[in-house]
Amino acid sequence: MKIQDHAFAADLQNWINEHLSPYTPTSKAEKLVSIHSLVRELAQSNLLTRGWPAPYGDNDIRKQLYLHFSLARQALGAVGLCLASHIDIGTRGLLDKGSPELIDKWLPKALTGDAIFSLAMTEPDAGSDLQGIQFTANKSEEGWILNGVKRGITNLPFADAALVLARTNPSRSPFSYSLFLVPIETAGITREQAVPTLAYHGCLGGISAKDAVIPLDNLVGPFGAGLMLLMKHLETERLFVSARMLGISTYLIEELILHTRNSPQCALQADNVARLKMQLMAFEAYFETCVNAFEEGELSAKDSAALKYMGSSLLKSASNTLADYSGAQGYLRGTPAIRFTTEAMGLALAGGSEEIMLSIIGNTL
C-alpha cells in the first residue's frame, strides 16, 4: 500500500515491532492483546487517529488505512479487527453523527482507551438482512426502553459502549430503524460470553436487553435514519476491510514465494503463485483507485463493493494455496494455514457478504 508520509510509516512499524512482536506469526496461533491497553499505547504514541479530521488528526485517511494494512501484514488479524471496530467504526460513527453532548462525554474516553466501542447490528436471526432485526427501542418519559438480543458482534466481550441499531417502528420501511449509544453497564443489559468462532477467538460476543432504559439524548443521528446512516458508513468500512485483506494477502503471497523458492515440491506450483501475485497487483491498483475516489468524495457503492469482493476472492485463493502447500499440516487446527483460511471466511462477511457485494454491483449494470 502506498503512503506519502514515510515518517508515519516508520513510526508505526517501530511501534508494532516494540509492542506487538510477541504476537507475530512465529507461534501457531495469535494471542489477543488487551484492546484497552493497545488503544492507550497507540494514543500515547500519536498513532491512533493521525488520519482523523481536525482537531484529532490531519484528515488523511491513508494513515488510518495504512494502520490496518500494517497490522494485517504482520498477521495480527484479531488485533486489527478489534481496533477497526473500536476506532474506525464505533468511535468514528459517534464523531460523525453523535450529539455534541455525547461526543464530549464519550469521545475522550474512546481516544485514550478508557472506553472501547462496538457497532451492534446483527442478531441471531438477522445477519445480512438488517431490516429483519427484532431489537427494539421504544420512547417513554424515562428514556428509550430497549429489548432484544445482539450477537456475533466484534468487541462486545469487552466493550464499554456500543452503537446499537434498533427497530423504532414495526414496519420494514428503511426509516423504521434508529441508532443509539448504549453503555454496556446499563441496568437491564446483560453481556453474553464470547461466541465460539473459527477465527478471531475471543473477539465476538453479544448482549441481551430486557427493559433497559437509556437517556433520550443517546439517540445518534436523526430518528428513523439509523439504517441509512449505516449503509453509508459501510462503504467506508469496506475500504478498511479491503486494507486488511490487502495486508494479509501480501503476507501470504510473500510466504508462498518463499515456499516456491525453497521447496522443490512447491516449485512445481510456481505458476499458481505467479497468478496470485498478478491478482495481488491488480487488487492493490484498484485499492489505490478507490482510495483516491474516497479522497475526492466520489467513491461509489459499486466500487467499494467490487473492491471488497475482489479482495475476498484473492484472500481465499491465497489462504487455500498456503493450506495446500502445507500438506496435512495445512488442515490441522491451530496452524497458521488453517487460521488464515478461517480468517478469510470471516473477512468475507465483514461489511456485507459476497452475495450482497454482487447484488450491489448487479444493481448498477
Side-chain angles (χ1 to χ4, degrees), residues 53-98:
Y56 309 101
D58 58 9
N59 203 32
D60 183 359
I61 193 174
R62 286 182 180 273
K63 291 187 176 70
Q64 297 303 114
L65 292 169
Y66 192 79
L67 171 62
H68 296 291
F69 166 82
S70 298
L71 289 171
R73 190 171 183 177
Q74 298 286 129
L76 294 161
V79 173
L81 175 73
C82 295
L83 184 63
S85 181
H86 166 62
I87 198 66
D88 290 309
I89 299 175
T91 303
R92 187 61 183 266
L94 171 65
L95 177 64
D96 290 345
K97 300 300 179 183

Side-chain angles (χ1 to χ4, degrees), residues 13-135:
Q13 189 59 55
N14 290 336
W15 185 90
I16 290 174
N17 293 341
E18 179 180 352
H19 293 272
L20 295 178
S21 55
Y23 308 98
T24 49
T26 52
S27 59
K28 287 186 176 180
E30 177 189 354
K31 303 173 185 177
L32 181 61
V33 300
S34 165
I35 299 302
H36 287 80
S37 298
L38 178 72
V39 171
R40 193 171 296 118
E41 291 164 358
L42 277 168
Q44 291 172 352
S45 301
N46 192 29
L47 294 170
L48 184 65
T49 58
R50 189 83 73 86
W52 269 35
Y56 309 101
D58 58 9
N59 203 32
D60 183 359
I61 193 174
R62 286 182 180 273
K63 291 187 176 70
Q64 297 303 114
L65 292 169
Y66 192 79
L67 171 62
H68 296 291
F69 166 82
S70 298
L71 289 171
R73 190 171 183 177
Q74 298 286 129
L76 294 161
V79 173
L81 175 73
C82 295
L83 184 63
S85 181
H86 166 62
I87 198 66
D88 290 309
I89 299 175
T91 303
R92 187 61 183 266
L94 171 65
L95 177 64
D96 290 345
K97 300 300 179 183
S99 67
E101 293 76 17
L102 280 180
I103 291 173
D104 288 344
K105 180 178 180 180
W106 285 98
L107 191 61
K109 299 177 185 179
L111 297 184
T112 57
D114 293 323
I116 297 300
F117 269 72
S118 178
L119 177 62
M121 297 186 291
T122 59
E123 300 178 6
D125 297 316
S128 298
D129 178 22
L130 290 179
Q131 287 185 266
I133 65 169
Q134 298 301 313
F135 195 103

Side-chain angles (χ1 to χ4, degrees), residues 150-190:
K150 294 291 182 182
R151 188 167 295 154
I153 309 298
T154 305
N155 285 359
L156 271 190
F158 43 81
D160 301 284
L163 296 185
V164 175
L165 182 68
R167 179 181 290 276
T168 46
N169 187 298
S171 78
R172 282 179 65 93
S173 161
F175 304 102
S176 297
Y177 311 87
S178 300
L179 201 59
F180 300 90
L181 191 152
V182 179
I184 304 301
E185 297 304 317
T186 299
I189 298 288
T190 302

